[in-house]
Amino acid sequence: MVTGVQGVRAGDTARPAKGRFQRPGLRPVAITGLATYVPPHVLTNADLERMVETSDEWILQRTGISERHIVDKGVATSDLAKEAALKAIAQAGLTPADIGFIVVGTTTPDMMFPSTACLLQHKIGASNAWGFDLGAACSGFTYALTTGAQLVASGAHEHALIVGADIMSSIIDYTDRTTCVLFGDGAGAVVLSAAADPGFSLIDFECEIDGGGGPSLCMPAGGSLRPASHETVEGRMHYVKQDGQAVFKFAVRKTGEICARLLERNGIDTSELDLLVSHQANRRIILSAADRLGLDHSKVVINIGKYGNTTAATIPLALDDAVADGRLKKGSLVLLTSVGAGFTVGCVLLRWGI
């Protein structure tokens, strides 16, 4: 259990914090818009039973997933991102022309180049924005949020669009039951702006990588090391490959560690948290990490059951669901956390302001 000074409860004005987003010379930054989008087609566990040797019971016991959304042929990551982005911008009371910076966290760009951020900028008409894609796998949203916040905090831009979007079905081998049951497609977006009230803003972040974990979760071919060839295609090397046990152990340990470190640095007791919003990779990983923190399960958002692992989109999807069911409200103290291929690890502490 992390110990520290007591904080305020949801709905109250937060005390000043000492996090990296609140250092002298930086403007406080808040999430001012949030929206998500998933394609309408649903792939259930029953559907997968007819495609590969698996069962609904096996999938539920090991992952907590019941169904996931899958795109139709010809739909790209930028298409999903567009739907979420336009809604998030509208919720923030802005137009696309108000956006100065776009960062898209994705593992499944439309193509190698141009970036999905370029394609998205054109599709939504954000004529005054520049941006790029960010590759951090399942930590794509936390890394993108951290990156965009720096530009708003510094005063370089008034508004930034942060997107986490992936079409994982495009790189999943539906003959491999160890991976095909896990993933779905989706997108989420938030708008970051200078906070009207510093008490409701991003507080702090912590990120790290461990490149030694690269082989445990990767797509072996398609890059400069192994360009596409008959050999790589026949070897099914353009699909996600995973050492499930190695990923599970690392994710549980690192989620607990990075969350505890961030809370301790800000003098916040675990009991003060209103919500833990973790990357939705596996129900057991999320609850195991919560137990390590000593956090009551009622404060943990889990929606993997209806979406599966949408990689960079899982955290905004979870935030959106938490808003819808009333668990996330203005003043909530929230911890976002993720572990992804690389390995990448990210954590963001914030006071919700919308």
Side-chain angles (χ1 to χ4, degrees), residues 67-84:
E67 60 186 34
R68 66 287 293 150
H69 292 251
I70 304 295
V71 299
D72 293 328
K73 185 177 180 180
V75 176
T77 294
S78 64
D79 294 322
L80 304 189
K82 173 187 173 182
E83 299 295 330

Side-chain angles (χ1 to χ4, degrees), residues 66-188:
S66 297
E67 60 186 34
R68 66 287 293 150
H69 292 251
I70 304 295
V71 299
D72 293 328
K73 185 177 180 180
V75 176
T77 294
S78 64
D79 294 322
L80 304 189
K82 173 187 173 182
E83 299 295 330
L86 288 174
K87 288 189 290 184
I89 292 168
Q91 188 191 62
L94 304 173
T95 69
D98 295 315
I99 302 299
F101 175 68
I102 299 170
V103 56
V104 179
T106 186
T107 303
T108 56
D110 289 23
M111 57 195 77
M112 291 293 286
F113 61 88
S115 71
T116 305
C118 285
L119 301 173
L120 177 62
Q121 181 261 3
H122 178 68
K123 286 184 176 183
I124 66 175
S127 55
N128 297 313
W130 69 283
F132 50 78
D133 290 356
L134 187 153
C138 295
S139 293
F141 183 77
T142 53
Y143 277 39
L145 186 68
T146 299
T147 301
Q150 309 291 334
L151 289 173
V152 177
S154 70
H157 293 291
E158 293 302 311
H159 309 287
L161 175 66
I162 314 304
V163 179
D166 274 297
I167 296 181
M168 293 304 294
S169 61
S170 66
I171 57 171
I172 295 302
D173 183 352
Y174 284 95
T175 68
D176 177 7
R177 74 168 187 166
T178 64
T179 57
C180 73
V181 303
L182 301 175
F183 295 95
D185 305 334

Side-chain angles (χ1 to χ4, degrees), residues 208-284:
E208 61 178 272
I209 60 172
D210 180 353
S216 297
L217 181 53
C218 63
M219 189 175 76
S224 59
L225 176 62
R226 297 186 183 90
S229 66
H230 287 296
E231 180 185 3
T232 62
V233 172
E234 290 170 0
R236 308 187 77 79
M237 298 172 68
H238 296 266
Y239 296 119
V240 171
K241 307 295 182 183
Q242 175 175 261
D243 179 345
Q245 284 299 313
V247 173
F248 184 94
K249 291 177 181 178
F250 184 88
V252 171
R253 177 171 62 86
K254 276 298 181 178
T255 299
E257 286 180 3
I258 201 166
C259 289
R261 191 158 67 244
L262 196 57
L263 292 174
E264 184 174 7
R265 186 162 73 218
N266 287 273
I268 295 172
D269 188 272
T270 303
S271 63
E272 298 177 60
L273 277 180
D274 292 299
L275 283 180
L276 173 68
V277 182
S278 174
H279 164 59
Q280 305 286 305
N282 182 299
R283 180 182 179 88
R284 292 187 298 153

